[in-house]
Amino acid sequence: MASIMTNPSAMTALQTLKSVSKNLETTQSRISTGLRVGEAADNAAYWSIATTMRSDNKALSTVQDALGLGASRVDVAYTALSSVVEVADEIKQKVLAAIGASDSDKDKIQTEIQSLQNQLRFIADAATFSGANWLSVNSLAANGDPADGEAADAKIVSAFNRSTTGAITLGTIDISVQSIKLYDAGAAAGDEVNRGLLEGLRDPATGLRDDTDGLYSVASLSVIGASDAELEAMLDVVDATLADLTDAATTIGAAKKRVALQQEFTQSLIDSIDRGIGQLVDADMNYESTRLQALQVQQQLGIEALSIANSNAQNILALFR
């Protein structure tokens, strides 16, 4: 039945054209943004997951920056400790040379030892990066407790973790500054145990830091007027100090390796999360470009079909001529 009030063919063609135009708009948006899920309306679940993962990835990037800063601090401390070990070993050789030497020779040797002691202090004070120095510290300034005397641990933020319940926790790499410090301006007088490795008085028999009178430290020993027995005791103290310095360098070296491994892992984790986000929301550009061409053809055909349907009303006029 031909009708001038209702044109079913045109209505059908129009609905088809609207559907094609909507799909075409969606495809063009995906091609222009590169995203299959660009907003919550596209896919609420995927959008929510991707948004959370993007936020976590930004946090991981900040952690990566913190690891880079921590790596620099560790590297500075490690380099300084390596130099300190070499200088302390030279002091050991000087003390050894003083055994059996004349008083005038001991005076000359002490001049060299004093120069090396000054160098030790210079290295420790210079081992600063971004305001942090783990070798020359002030434990009193760090914790405000003069009775404590222990330097606070250094912490390097190394991980950002989200549990299955959504709870967030941070991981840290802790550096025991107390075990590696060389000088401590905040240590209480007479508290040799909590003083730095170089300045704390040591018992020659045990090599341990002690507050007994008549003991020696690398930072303050003097060979002037010392007997051979006293020089041998000094030698034992320097040797024990070297052992502790080697342990400190080992501690920092292990931390340096751990930070490097964590940096590598964090970067791999960031890349993995990026790939996971892409699987959820990225558009398949090969598919979308092919679909775009097909929809453009469908749109042209829809326009042609609508034109044909609209021309049916004109054909009715021919019946009255």
Side-chain angles (χ1 to χ4, degrees):
M1 180 183 71
S3 172
I4 62 172
M5 302 301 295
T6 304
N7 190 339
S9 298
M11 295 170 64
T12 301
L14 183 59
Q15 290 296 325
T16 301
L17 185 58
K18 286 181 177 180
S19 176
V20 171
S21 297
K22 182 178 179 181
N23 291 335
L24 185 60
E25 181 181 350
T26 299
T27 300
Q28 288 174 330
S29 175
R30 290 176 179 179
I31 290 176
S32 62
T33 63
L35 296 174
R36 177 169 58 93
V37 180
E39 55 186 20
D42 296 331
N43 188 311
Y46 282 6
W47 180 85
S48 177
I49 294 171
T51 299
T52 301
M53 292 174 70
R54 287 193 187 102
S55 177
D56 287 355
N57 240 15
K58 291 178 181 178
L60 284 173
S61 295
T62 302
V63 168
Q64 190 77 320
D65 293 339
L67 282 168
L69 179 60
S72 299
R73 289 175 175 173
V74 169
D75 193 51
V76 167
Y78 181 79
T79 300
L81 275 173
S82 298
S83 298
V84 164
V85 169
E86 294 178 3
V87 175
D89 190 55
E90 287 191 46
I91 291 178
K92 177 181 177 181
Q93 307 312 315
K94 300 302 180 185
V95 173
L96 183 60
I99 297 177
S102 64
D103 289 342
S104 61
D105 286 342
K106 288 178 182 178
D107 289 343
K108 297 174 183 177
I109 292 173
Q110 182 58 36
T111 299
E112 293 181 286
I113 290 176
Q114 181 64 54
S115 176
L116 293 172
Q117 289 170 331
N118 292 338
Q119 181 63 18
L120 287 174
R121 185 72 200 217
F122 175 81
I123 293 172
D125 290 343
T128 301
F129 184 87
S130 187
N133 190 324
W134 299 340
L135 304 184
S136 181
V137 305
N138 188 333
S139 59
L140 177 61
N143 55 35
D145 185 0
D148 187 353
E150 292 191 8
D153 288 350
K155 296 182 180 295
I156 301 172
V157 176
S158 59
F160 175 89
N161 306 312
R162 185 184 294 277
S163 70
T164 54
T165 62
I168 294 174
T169 57
L170 295 179
T172 60
I173 296 175
D174 298 339
I175 309 295
S176 175
V177 177
Q178 177 67 14
S179 66
I180 66 172
K181 66 181 183 180
L182 306 181
Y183 299 92
D184 189 344
D191 184 8
E192 305 303 327
V193 174
N194 282 322
R195 299 184 75 184
L197 296 178
L198 294 176
E199 60 181 352
L201 298 177
R202 292 175 182 265
D203 185 343
T206 63
L208 301 177
R209 282 169 285 178
D210 200 335
D211 56 5
T212 307
D213 293 337
L215 303 184
Y216 310 100
S217 73
V218 171
S220 61
L221 65 81
S222 174
V223 301
I224 296 176
S227 65
D228 285 351
E230 291 173 329
L231 290 172
E232 290 177 6
M234 292 180 193
L235 192 61
D236 289 337
V237 166
V238 177
D239 193 58
T241 303
L242 270 170
D244 283 352
L245 291 173
T246 301
D247 289 343
T250 301
T251 298
I252 289 295
K256 181 178 180 179
K257 180 64 174 179
R258 186 180 173 190
V259 169
L261 289 173
Q262 189 64 21
Q263 284 180 299
E264 182 178 349
F265 168 73
T266 302
Q267 185 58 57
S268 297
L269 187 58
I270 290 173
D271 293 342
S272 296
I273 291 176
D274 278 338
R275 289 194 295 271
I277 294 172
Q279 292 291 331
L280 291 176
V281 302
D282 286 358
D284 183 343
M285 300 304 286
N286 291 329
Y287 170 79
E288 298 299 342
S289 61
T290 302
R291 180 171 171 78
L292 177 65
Q293 294 179 4
L295 288 170
Q296 287 174 335
V297 172
Q298 291 178 31
Q299 186 183 50
Q300 292 172 4
L301 290 174
I303 293 172
E304 186 65 26
L306 182 60
S307 177
I308 294 173
N310 287 333
S311 68
N312 288 337
Q314 298 295 327
N315 294 332
I316 294 176
L317 292 176
L319 298 176
F320 297 97
R321 291 175 185 169

